[in-house]
């Protein structure tokens, strides 16, 4: 079975167990695919990259919500009314 690896750097689970921080550092800020029997088991990413990814997902969700509400009646208010 062929699997797509969505990372430029790969490591085995054994390598991850031996040196977890070194494995993450090998990705130089990018994801590292952790392989089990030459198949991706999971992706290991630095905390900063995860935070950026979560922010982007939240932005996409908010944009989808705003798009779904486009065309609805607009209620105008002033700051004093809030």
């Amino acid at each position: 079975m062929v699997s797509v690896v969505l990372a430029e750097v790969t490591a085995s689970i054994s390598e991850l167990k031996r040196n977890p921080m070194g494995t993450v550092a090998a990705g130089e800020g990018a994801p590292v695919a952790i392989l089990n029997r030459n198949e991706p088991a999971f992706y290991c990413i630095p905390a900063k990259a995860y935070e950026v990814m979560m922010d982007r997902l939240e932005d996409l969700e908010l944009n989808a919500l705003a798009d779904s509400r486009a065309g609805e009646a607009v209620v105008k208010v002033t700051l004093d009314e809030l």
Side-chain angles (χ1 to χ4, degrees):
M1 179 179 214
V2 177
S3 296
V4 176
V5 178
L6 302 173
E8 292 184 18
V9 179
T10 62
S12 68
I13 290 180
S14 300
E15 291 171 307
L16 179 66
K17 287 180 185 177
R18 260 193 313 271
N19 186 2
M21 294 309 294
T23 302
V24 174
E28 297 179 351
V32 176
I34 306 301
L35 305 178
N36 183 28
R37 297 189 175 122
N38 291 327
E39 301 252 340
F42 61 93
Y43 292 90
C44 184
I45 63 172
K48 185 63 180 168
Y50 185 78
E51 291 169 12
V52 168
M53 185 175 64
M54 290 293 102
D55 286 343
R56 287 183 183 170
L57 284 174
E58 183 180 17
D59 289 347
L60 288 171
E61 289 172 356
L62 290 173
N63 284 338
L65 179 61
D67 290 344
S68 72
R69 293 180 178 175
E72 290 182 11
V74 176
V75 178
K76 293 186 178 190
V77 296
T78 65
L79 288 176
D80 294 331
E81 292 174 323
L82 295 176

